[in-house]
Amino acid sequence: MRIAVDGPAGAGKSTISKAVAERLGYIYIDTGAMYRSVGLAALDAGLEPRSERDVSGILDDIEIDIKNGDDGQSFYLNGENVTERIREPKVSMAASSVAVIPAVRLKLVELQRRLAEKADVVMDGRDIGTYVLPDAELKIFLTADAAERARRRCAELIAKGETADPAVVEAEIKARDKNDSEREFAPLRKADDAVLVDTTDMSIEQVINTILELADKRR
Ligand code: DC
């Protein structure tokens, strides 16, 4: 069974997908973290993440490893544990920028498909239902109002001891959604056969249960 969870930034995809995977005993695959790792590699190399030529030039030297530990998943970029660094706000836009580049997508999609062959998975991202796993048994398109998504992202940042301005976070989320939806190759889009779940007025538990019920019917 493969469950694809797509949607805009801050809709709660990773929280929900992680919880659903845990309850079902499936593997959770965070594809956003892979684009974030490439975005970080570009920033660390002093490159412009939008530059197809520059980023394509370092792509062969980028190795991403995922390790499952007791405290969750860790991401390694060329051997360095970047689990924390890829969550920095400046990496979000860099990830969205490198994600426009077809060569980046092809490299990461290959890795994502390989991971999904080995186990039952819950995979979240932007193009999982439309491009990465078009035959997934269950597809969810998770969304929420932009203001609510910004509010949740701010709460997350504040919980980590960072400062966050809701207006700035909302503008950043909207810019990223626009960039992710308007790119040519595998843009953010609801698959025709995906179930739309608007989480604006739902609790996390309600969203998890909605997806578990849908999964139960498809198994
Ligand atoms: O889910 P996230 O916020 O961690 O993703 C970071 C960026 O990576 C997002 O703005 C667009 C890109 N991305 C993508 O293009 N395709 C995916 N399947 C996952 C993420």
Side-chain angles (χ1 to χ4, degrees), residues 88-147:
E88 287 173 17
K90 68 169 189 237
V91 181
S92 302
M93 202 57 215
S96 184
S97 296
V98 298
V100 173
I101 303 167
V104 170
R105 304 203 69 81
L106 291 173
K107 176 178 170 118
L108 298 184
V109 168
E110 192 193 304
L111 171 63
Q112 291 154 15
R113 288 188 178 146
R114 238 186 302 128
L115 291 169
E117 273 171 13
K118 293 190 201 153
D120 293 315
V121 295
V122 181
M123 190 180 283
D124 79 354
R126 303 292 187 288
D127 60 337
I128 311 305
T130 53
Y131 187 77
V132 181
L133 304 174
D135 301 326
E137 285 73 18
L138 176 60
K139 299 179 186 178
I140 305 289
F141 194 82
L142 214 60
T143 187
D145 284 354

Side-chain angles (χ1 to χ4, degrees), residues 31-32 35-36 95-96 99 105 125-128 176 180 183:
T31 66
Y35 290 94
R36 286 172 180 272
S96 184
R105 304 203 69 81
R126 303 292 187 288
D127 60 337
I128 311 305
R176 207 140 62 88
D180 295 341
R183 68 173 175 239

